[in-house]
C-alpha cells in the first residue's frame, strides 16, 4: 500500500498537483488494508512518505497492517519500532535514511497462516562496490552530456556540474532538525549576497556530504538547493514576525500530535 506525503500541496506549488487532494486519512488506510486482506494478502506492508512520528501514530490505529517502511523524515532507524494496533497485532515501523545510503531489508518468517518471526537489516550501500547497470550508466552519461540553455546561456551539463566553486575546510552535511554545516553555509551565503542580518532556509536532512579538503562543485550546490520552490527574497520583518516564523516551524516539527507535524525544518 502506498501512502503519499500528506502535505504535498503545502510543500510544493499547488499547480503541480492541482487536481489532487492529500491527507493522512487512517480510515482510508484501514479500508485499503481490509480490501487487501479480502483479496488474499497474507502480509500487508505500507510504503509511506508520512514521516516516522506520523507512521508510529497511524500504526497504532490501523488493524491488519504488518509493517510501515517509511520516508520523509530520513531517519536511519537501525531496528523497527514495534507498535501494537487495536486488534492486538504488531506493526513494525521504520525509516531507512536518505539518498540511497541504506537499504532497509525486512524478512518475515511466515508459516501456517501467521508471521512467526522477522529480521531487519539496515544495509549500507557502497556504490563503488556495486557493478553498474550498463543501460542505466549509458542513460546517465548521455543525460549529463546534454546541452542545456538557461536564461540565454547554453552550456554542457556535465561541465557545469563539475565546476569547482571552493574547497571546504570542514565536513559539510545536512542532518538534524535545526541545523547542519551545509545549511549554515547556505544561510551565510544568503546573508552575504542579500546584505541581510538574518537568513532562513528550509532544512531537509538530505544531500551529499562533502568531506574536508574536497572541492565544492556546482553539482553539490544543486544537490542541496534544486527544489520546486527556489525563490530567494529579501524582506523586512519585525521581531514579532520572526518569533512567529520560528514558533511555526517548531510547531511543524514537534507538535504533540504527530498528525500535525509537517516534518519541515529551518
Amino acid at each position: 500500500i502506498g501512502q503519499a506525503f500528506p502535505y504535498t500541496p503545502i510543500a510544493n506549488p499547488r499547480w503541480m498537483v492541482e487536481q489532487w487532494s492529500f491527507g493522512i486519512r487512517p480510515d482510508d488506510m484501514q479500508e485499503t488494508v481490509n480490501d487487501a486482506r479480502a483479496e488474499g494478502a497474507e502480509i500487508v506492508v505500507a510504503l509511506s512518505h508520512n514521516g516516522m512520528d506520523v507512521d508510529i501514530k497511524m500504526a497504532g490505529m490501523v488493524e491488519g497492517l504488518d509493517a510501515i517502511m517509511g520516508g520523509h523524515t530520513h531517519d536511519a532507524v537501525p531496528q523497527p519500532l514495534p507498535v501494537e494496533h487495536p486488534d492486538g497485532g504488531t506493526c513494525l515501523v521504520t525509516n531507512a535514511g536518505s539518498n540511497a545510503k541504506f537499504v532497509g531489508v525486512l524478512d518475515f518468517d511466515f508459516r501456517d497462516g501467521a508471521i512467526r518471526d522477522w529480521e531487519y537489516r539496515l544495509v549500507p550501500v557502497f556504490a563503488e562496490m556495486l557493478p553498474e547497470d550498463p543501460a542505466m550508466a549509458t542513460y546517465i552519461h548521455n543525460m549529463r552530456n546534454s546541452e542545456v540553455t538557461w536564461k540565454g546561456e547554453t552550456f554542457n551539463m556535465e561541465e557545469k556540474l563539475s565546476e569547482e566553486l571552493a574547497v571546504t575546510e570542514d565536513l559539510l552535511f545536512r542532518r538534524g532538525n535545526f541545523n547542519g554545516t551545509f545549511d549554515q553555509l547556505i544561510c551565510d551565503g544568503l546573508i552575504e549576497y542579500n546584505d541581510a542580518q538574518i537568513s532562513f532556509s528550509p532544512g531537509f536532512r538530505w544531500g551529499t556530504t562533502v568531506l574536508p579538503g574536497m572541492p565544492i562543485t556546482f553539482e553539490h550546490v544543486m544537490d542541496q538547493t534544486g527544489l520546486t520552490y527556489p525563490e530567494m527574497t529579501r524582506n523586512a520583518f519585525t521581531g514579532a514576525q520572526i518569533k512567529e516564523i520560528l514558533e511555526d516551524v517548531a510547531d511543524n516539527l514537534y507538535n504533540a500530535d504527530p498528525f500535525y507535524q509537517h516534518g519541515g525544518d529551518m
Side-chain angles (χ1 to χ4, degrees):
I1 298 168
Q3 166 70 56
F5 178 45
Y7 298 105
T8 295
I10 298 173
N12 299 275
R14 190 64 175 121
W15 60 264
M16 290 184 164
V17 286
E18 193 173 357
Q19 304 299 323
W20 292 72
S21 66
F22 295 81
I24 299 172
R25 301 175 185 168
D27 291 343
D28 286 356
M29 177 64 76
Q30 183 66 73
E31 185 177 335
T32 307
V33 171
N34 293 345
D35 290 344
R37 292 286 185 185
E39 292 173 15
E42 294 178 314
I43 298 175
V44 181
V45 176
L47 301 180
S48 158
H49 202 99
N50 283 331
M52 188 72 181
D53 284 351
V54 177
D55 284 337
I56 290 170
K57 180 175 178 180
M58 178 176 279
M61 300 172 68
V62 180
E63 297 182 356
L65 189 56
D66 295 306
I68 302 177
M69 302 185 79
H72 183 57
T73 43
H74 307 150
D75 305 291
V77 180
Q79 285 294 312
L81 180 71
V83 178
E84 186 174 332
H85 39 70
D87 60 1
T90 299
C91 181
L92 304 173
V93 182
T94 187
N95 262 222
S98 73
N99 284 69
K101 294 173 183 175
F102 302 95
V103 174
V105 181
L106 181 59
D107 293 306
F108 287 110
D109 177 6
F110 186 85
R111 285 175 289 142
D112 303 321
I115 296 172
R116 303 299 176 182
D117 201 358
W118 57 269
E119 180 183 70
Y120 181 80
R121 290 167 293 149
L122 189 63
V123 181
V125 176
F126 299 100
E128 293 181 355
M129 296 176 66
L130 299 171
E132 286 187 330
D133 176 78
M136 181 56 71
T138 300
Y139 176 79
I140 292 171
H141 174 78
N142 291 339
M143 286 294 295
R144 291 177 67 93
N145 278 281
S146 301
E147 297 293 312
V148 176
T149 300
W150 173 252
K151 293 188 176 179
E153 179 188 358
T154 300
F155 51 85
N156 177 272
M157 190 190 303
E158 178 70 43
E159 293 176 1
K160 184 68 175 175
L161 291 172
S162 301
E163 181 183 348
E164 296 183 3
L165 306 176
V167 176
T168 179
E169 298 174 355
D170 300 309
L171 181 70
L172 296 181
F173 65 92
R174 281 181 119 166
R175 184 65 248 175
N177 294 109
F178 292 112
N179 206 0
T181 51
F182 223 129
D183 291 299
Q184 191 62 53
L185 181 64
I186 291 168
C187 287
D188 289 347
L190 291 173
I191 287 174
E192 183 174 336
Y193 184 86
N194 292 288
D195 187 26
Q197 294 172 295
I198 296 173
S199 63
F200 293 136
S201 171
F204 303 99
R205 303 184 306 281
W206 48 244
T208 304
T209 299
V210 186
L211 302 179
M214 285 179 61
I216 304 172
T217 65
F218 184 73
E219 183 164 11
H220 287 135
V221 176
M222 291 299 295
D223 184 29
Q224 303 288 340
T225 61
L227 311 171
T228 54
Y229 42 98
E231 290 83 6
M232 178 181 66
T233 61
R234 184 175 185 268
N235 307 279
F237 288 115
T238 66
Q241 288 174 313
I242 292 171
K243 178 175 180 286
E244 185 178 4
I245 290 169
L246 293 174
E247 288 190 344
D248 186 51
V249 172
D251 185 62
N252 286 346
L253 275 168
Y254 297 116
N255 194 294
D257 186 343
F259 280 7
Y260 289 102
Q261 295 178 10
H262 294 196
D265 313 288
M266 185 171 290

